[in-house]
Amino acid sequence: MTPSNLSRGAAMRALLSLAVGSFGIGMTEFVIMGLLPEIAQDLLPDVWAASSEQAIGQSGVLISLYALGVVIGAPTIAGAVARFPRHRVMLALAIALTLGNALTVVLPGFGLVGASRLLAGLPHGAYFGIGALVAADMLGPGRRAQGVAFILTGLTVANVVGVPLGTYLGQQWGWRTAFLVVTCVFALAAVCIALFVPAHPGDPGRTLRSELGVFRVPQVWLTLGMGAVGFGGFFAVYSYIAPLVTEIAGAAQWVVPVTLVLVGVGMTAGNLAGGRLADRDLRGTLVWGLAALAAVLVLLALLSFSIVPLIITAMLVGAIASVLSPAIQTRLMDVAGDNQSIAAALNHSALNIGNSLGAFLGGAAISLGFGYTAPEWVGAVLAVLGLAIVLIAYRAQASAPEQTLVPETAARGR
């Protein structure tokens, strides 16, 4: 039985198995942000004794190391394993994620923990990229983006449930407890993938060298730019939501996790809606999604002085930004031709570059004295620039119609 011929129940079990792994990825990527004080106090005690702010700032390197692992690992791992059966690749990646996070739990010292974060980030992009190909094939033509969105739902649900829970456990019983939970989630994902994900062939003719040919496709670069620049607008705001809540809206500290949970709810709803919208009109979803993101970021900057409008608008920001994710992933799969594995994984390299870009520019605006609402304006500019890249990409496509965009199944004559 091929993936596209699965029964509805079998397909759902397979998709849920893959989503368990993406839930774990969401936890391991974001839970560390709420535990930096605990990590700094444990791993950098001398620096903490002199200056807690400096210790926390140095501990932020652990976030960057994970993102660096994603950027490095996504194209190299996905390209190297393109010829192998994808169900076996997904199992191997889930095991690698289990081991990488287990190292974070047991390794002593700041340097070794940093190395474990780099290693844990390496399989991230390949897991999502190859998982997206499997999910798209299971649901079949006309529902490809919905399959992609289902896998990404695990990531957004992690922001609603996993990250707050992991943060609480880490604060109560030590920060390593959170990563122990993450390790268990990945172990569960590996078991579920082994049991429920059906055989899915790779492409025996593909090599890393041939997969790297994706970088010769201009439309791939433009699509990566949509994610790195346009989605960077979301991260410019998300990275600094805490001071926006406490310093601008004047709310209590406990309102910050509540806001983050509600933003995660918006992200989950937007991701699911984005899959359906992208299947109906991929171009319209990208164009109107980025335009709406820019508009709602401006609205957030104007309404953030009162906590209720801030929370409602922040939820809209999360929802609209997440509409874009399955659309960008699907377009990458369309423009890549035969280079499917590496192209699908590159989306997560682009999003992590967007994470770093948005956080850096938002922080720079605050450091220059423009205030805690400055990241919203920075994010709006990035969203507009992302929209410009979308328009340029489709205009270039219209002027070169001979460069047909074909999904993988059509490209291979299946």
Side-chain angles (χ1 to χ4, degrees):
M1 180 177 292
T2 63
S4 58
N5 292 329
L6 290 175
S7 69
R8 181 178 179 85
M12 187 58 63
R13 287 190 291 272
L15 290 172
L16 285 171
S17 300
L18 297 174
V20 171
S22 65
F23 179 91
I25 288 177
M27 278 195 71
T28 195
E29 182 174 16
F30 295 116
V31 76
I32 193 172
M33 297 176 183
L35 294 173
L36 283 182
E38 288 76 15
I39 293 172
Q41 191 170 7
D42 180 37
L43 298 181
L44 299 170
D46 294 337
V47 181
W48 178 270
S51 170
S52 59
E53 290 184 358
Q54 185 176 0
I56 291 172
Q58 290 185 24
S59 297
V61 172
L62 299 177
I63 299 173
S64 300
L65 285 171
Y66 183 89
L68 178 62
V70 177
V71 173
I72 294 172
T76 52
I77 294 177
V81 301
R83 66 183 184 275
F84 298 112
R86 288 173 180 160
H87 62 291
R88 294 179 181 173
V89 169
M90 293 304 297
L91 176 59
L93 291 172
I95 293 172
L97 286 161
T98 304
L99 296 176
N101 283 276
L103 289 175
T104 300
V105 176
V106 300
L107 287 178
F110 186 82
L112 289 176
V113 170
S116 75
R117 299 314 296 153
L118 178 68
L119 290 173
L122 291 174
H124 173 130
Y127 184 95
F128 275 120
I130 297 174
L133 296 175
V134 175
D137 198 21
M138 277 193 285
L139 291 189
R143 300 180 66 198
R144 298 167 62 246
Q146 292 178 57
V148 173
F150 197 102
I151 301 303
L152 294 173
T153 297
L155 180 65
T156 57
V157 171
N159 284 279
V160 180
V161 180
V163 172
L165 176 62
T167 301
Y168 173 78
L169 294 175
Q171 291 171 340
Q172 297 298 315
W173 291 287
W175 65 270
R176 293 181 190 270
T177 305
F179 289 95
L180 178 60
V181 173
V182 170
T183 301
C184 293
V185 170
F186 283 126
L188 175 63
V191 172
C192 291
I193 289 170
L195 293 175
F196 300 121
V197 174
H200 194 292
D203 188 343
R206 304 304 296 174
T207 63
L208 177 59
R209 181 176 180 180
S210 61
E211 285 284 316
L212 290 175
V214 73
F215 291 110
R216 295 194 295 269
V217 182
Q219 285 289 341
V220 167
W221 284 104
L222 289 169
T223 307
L224 292 174
M226 298 173 197
V229 177
F231 214 80
F234 167 73
F235 286 112
V237 174
Y238 190 70
S239 302
Y240 303 100
I241 195 74
L244 195 69
V245 169
T246 58
E247 303 298 326
I248 300 301
Q253 189 71 32
W254 64 266
V255 180
V256 174
V258 174
T259 303
L260 292 174
V261 167
L262 292 174
V263 171
V265 172
M267 292 171 66
T268 302
N271 180 65
L272 293 173
R276 294 183 179 275
L277 291 171
D279 278 331
R280 293 178 183 176
D281 182 2
L282 182 58
R283 176 177 180 174
T285 301
L286 291 168
V287 171
W288 291 108
L290 283 163
L293 180 60
V296 78
L297 286 171
V298 171
L299 191 64
L300 179 61
L302 298 175
L303 298 179
S304 58
F305 296 92
S306 180
I307 189 60
V308 173
L310 185 156
I311 291 177
I312 294 173
T313 312
M315 286 183 67
L316 286 175
V317 170
I320 294 171
S322 293
V323 164
L324 296 167
S325 187
I328 293 171
Q329 180 83 76
T330 302
R331 179 163 174 82
L332 268 174
M333 291 159 60
D334 285 348
V335 300
D338 288 332
N339 308 295
Q340 290 286 298
S341 296
I342 192 170
L346 279 171
N347 183 42
H348 298 278
S349 291
L351 294 183
N352 274 267
I353 291 171
N355 188 344
S356 300
L357 177 66
F360 171 77
L361 293 177
I366 294 173
S367 300
L368 290 172
F370 291 108
Y372 287 118
T373 61
E376 284 69 53
W377 297 101
V378 170
V381 171
L382 289 173
V384 170
L385 292 175
L387 174 59
I389 295 173
V390 171
L391 297 176
I392 290 169
Y394 277 100
R395 183 168 184 175
Q397 177 185 324
S399 65
E402 69 278 2
Q403 296 181 357
T404 306
L405 304 183
V406 288
E408 180 189 18
T409 51
R412 296 184 182 177
R414 292 187 299 190

